[in-house]
Amino acid sequence: ESPARRAPGSSRGLCLISTSPSTNGVPFSNAVLWLDPASIVRRFPVITDAVGFAETSLALAPGTTGLQLWAQYVMRNAPQCPAAGV
């Protein structure tokens, strides 16, 4: 497993849900946001487990069949993470 694909253990962050992706990526602190910032519809606080994984459940309302959503986790850095910022 590549460390770039896993957040630091016991880190706080957000799961962002949007109705549209960003095709070029949007700079966001020291990360790249691959969601269109104008289309973000939900933000969920998350905490990773001891090995750096997080899971988020999303209940969908009736009548949302065929709705496309995009999600991205953004984690705050912990001391063991090499990047600075978010």
Side-chain angles (χ1 to χ4, degrees), residues 13-18 28 33 36-46 56 72:
L14 294 172
C15 176
L16 305 172
I17 308 292
S18 100
F28 181 73
L33 188 62
D36 174 3
S39 73
I40 294 173
V41 293
R42 295 288 306 266
R43 294 171 180 86
F44 296 96
V46 295
T56 304
Q72 182 175 348

Side-chain angles (χ1 to χ4, degrees), residues 19-82:
T19 56
S20 180
S22 170
T23 54
N24 297 319
V26 177
F28 181 73
S29 193
N30 286 333
V32 176
L33 188 62
W34 292 102
L35 306 174
D36 174 3
S39 73
I40 294 173
V41 293
R42 295 288 306 266
R43 294 171 180 86
F44 296 96
V46 295
I47 300 175
T48 62
D49 65 14
V51 295
F53 291 94
E55 185 174 76
T56 304
S57 297
L58 179 63
L60 298 177
T64 57
T65 302
L67 177 66
Q68 289 188 326
L69 298 171
W70 284 260
Q72 182 175 348
Y73 285 93
V74 180
M75 307 308 293
R76 294 183 183 171
N77 284 342
Q80 68 270 33
C81 186

